[in-house]
Amino acid sequence: MTNTQSWDAGDLARRLAENAEAVCRHYLSAGRRHGNYWLVGDVHNTPGRSLYVRLHGGPDGRGRAGKWTDGATGQHGDLLDIIRESLGLLDFRDVADEARRFLSLPQPQPRPASDRGRSDVFGHDVSGLASGTADAARRLWAMSRPIAGTQAETWLRHRDLTRLTDLSSLRFHPDCYYRADADSPTETWPALIAAVTDVDDRVTGVHRTWLARDGKGKAPVAMPRRAMGDLLGRAVRFGAVSDVLAAGEGIETVLSLHEVMPALPLAACLSSAHLAAMAFPPTLRRLYMLRDDDPAGDHAVATLQARTQEAGIECLVLSPRLADFNDDLRYLGRGAMRAILHPQLAPQDVARFLHPVTH
């Protein structure tokens, strides 16, 4: 077999089984060895003992290395399945690429140009990938974990965001799959995972922010932010839907308001185009729009103002002093944020939402 040929599933599964303990230590790091088995909670690397992976085959040929069973769910498979489930991959090509990377095997030839070029709504190449679907997004969300004590928490605190205990729409994945384009090698980086939901709070997509290993910045990749799934009209939501809502583009931008207005429901729509197209909750009576100081933000303001007027919803624009509200928070502070917001709010919302700065 030449360096440009691909290994089939049987070859890869056998080679992974020959290194079963190393595979488990890498992809199921929350588990531990117990005799001839690796014990962990489930395929998503949850701590526990329900799932067991055989590390070596028996002398009589029974009990093949690399085979696993989850006693709680009845799931079973080989180490290729572990890679697929732990990283949230759906297309076997991506699973095989990751297995080759782990085993230091040569990667196959790039796929033909005719297989490339299909993009998602953000312009990211998803040719030949199943990872852009809402089902894939829900799977990634399910295998992610709370942000407390992770690089995701470090990243948010690095942006001066400290009210992090009730953000159920944010999770963390320690080894989130990343590939810049169809011909690039597979990488894994820690990532902040945000649930994109509709107005009925159903998860329809996720937004990923790949992070540096220490969490103090974004990962050094070409596009450290990407969304997947059904996104149009949806948002990353903080707080229950009510008669008043504040909506903006970026997650860190809207969370900056959460620092001084923690009771105000918020929505991060992830781009100016999606902000302009956001779906209105049926109970909404007043919308605050967080304007980014750029032409795209101005266009979103004009579009939303026309849509809210037609829907009978009051629309008020909140403008930052600097480029966005996270810049205001980081460089001007919470007291200044409160002073900036106070005159822009409806009078009845000042007492309702604008809390005094206590930290």
Side-chain angles (χ1 to χ4, degrees):
M1 182 176 293
T2 67
N3 284 355
T4 58
Q5 291 175 304
S6 62
W7 301 85
D8 64 24
D11 291 324
L12 291 171
R14 176 179 56 81
R15 288 171 175 266
L16 290 169
E18 291 171 353
N19 299 274
E21 184 170 350
V23 174
C24 291
R25 289 189 181 279
H26 184 77
Y27 297 101
L28 300 175
S29 58
R32 62 183 181 86
R33 180 171 180 168
H34 185 79
N36 191 33
Y37 294 93
W38 188 266
L39 304 180
V40 72
D42 56 33
V43 290
H44 307 313
N45 198 28
T46 304
R49 297 168 59 89
S50 174
L51 185 146
Y52 50 95
V53 184
R54 191 176 184 96
L55 301 180
H56 301 285
D60 57 359
R62 293 185 297 178
R64 291 168 52 195
K67 292 296 184 179
W68 59 272
T69 300
D70 189 327
T73 66
Q75 287 178 285
H76 58 88
D78 60 21
L79 294 174
L80 285 171
D81 298 314
I82 291 294
I83 291 176
R84 183 188 70 235
E85 296 292 337
S86 66
L87 297 183
L89 308 178
L90 293 182
D91 189 22
F92 177 73
R93 180 187 290 111
D94 300 327
V95 178
D97 285 350
E98 173 64 14
R100 293 186 199 98
R101 185 197 65 77
F102 178 82
L103 295 166
S104 299
L105 294 175
Q107 295 290 344
Q109 289 179 328
R111 72 193 70 174
S114 59
D115 286 345
R116 303 195 297 270
R118 185 164 57 87
S119 299
D120 65 11
V121 295
F122 285 88
H124 305 133
D125 186 3
V126 294
S127 307
L129 303 179
S131 57
T133 67
D135 284 343
R138 283 187 282 268
R139 289 180 59 175
L140 178 57
W141 177 247
M143 67 180 61
S144 301
R145 64 190 195 219
I147 64 172
T150 70
Q151 291 98 317
E153 181 181 13
T154 300
W155 161 251
L156 293 171
R157 292 189 182 280
H158 189 65
R159 307 288 296 190
D160 282 0
L161 301 169
T162 60
R163 294 184 182 270
L164 306 179
T165 56
D166 58 347
L167 304 182
S168 60
S169 57
L170 298 183
R171 292 183 182 175
F172 172 73
H173 196 294
D175 295 295
C176 189
Y177 166 80
Y178 176 85
R179 191 165 67 180
D181 55 46
D183 297 331
S184 298
T186 298
E187 304 176 48
T188 58
W189 292 90
L192 173 67
I193 309 295
V196 178
T197 61
D198 61 17
V199 293
D200 296 318
D201 207 32
R202 291 184 296 244
V203 176
T204 64
V206 294
H207 182 271
R208 297 154 292 175
T209 303
W210 282 277
L211 303 173
R213 304 295 181 197
D214 62 2
K216 294 181 179 179
K218 288 178 283 191
V221 297
M223 289 179 285
R225 297 184 190 267
R226 282 181 177 172
M228 67 177 183
D230 295 333
L231 309 172
L232 189 62
R234 278 76 168 188
V236 179
R237 303 178 194 278
F238 305 97
V241 174
S242 72
D243 59 322
V244 179
L245 175 70
E249 295 182 34
I251 293 169
E252 293 85 0
T253 295
V254 301
L255 284 180
S256 297
L257 262 71
H258 186 64
E259 293 293 305
V260 294
M261 304 177 73
L264 176 65
L266 301 165
C269 298
L270 307 178
S271 75
S272 59
H274 284 80
L275 177 59
M278 69 173 293
F280 302 138
T283 58
L284 185 63
R285 297 295 176 265
R286 182 161 49 256
L287 175 68
Y288 288 104
M289 181 177 173
L290 281 59
R291 185 181 68 86
D292 281 2
D293 189 15
D294 56 34
D298 293 338
H299 176 74
V301 167
T303 303
L304 262 185
Q305 285 177 328
R307 291 184 59 224
T308 52
Q309 183 176 5
E310 183 177 346
I313 297 169
E314 181 183 10
C315 183
L316 299 176
V317 178
L318 300 180
S319 298
R321 184 79 50 81
L322 303 176
D324 59 44
F325 280 108
N326 191 240
D327 279 355
D328 283 4
L329 175 67
R330 295 170 67 199
Y331 301 118
L332 303 179
R334 287 166 179 77
M337 276 275 292
R338 196 170 186 278
I340 291 166
L341 290 167
H342 188 288
Q344 302 186 68
L345 297 173
Q348 60 268 41
D349 289 335
V350 172
R352 183 180 176 186
F353 295 117
L354 192 58
H355 289 201
V357 177
T358 58
H359 66 288

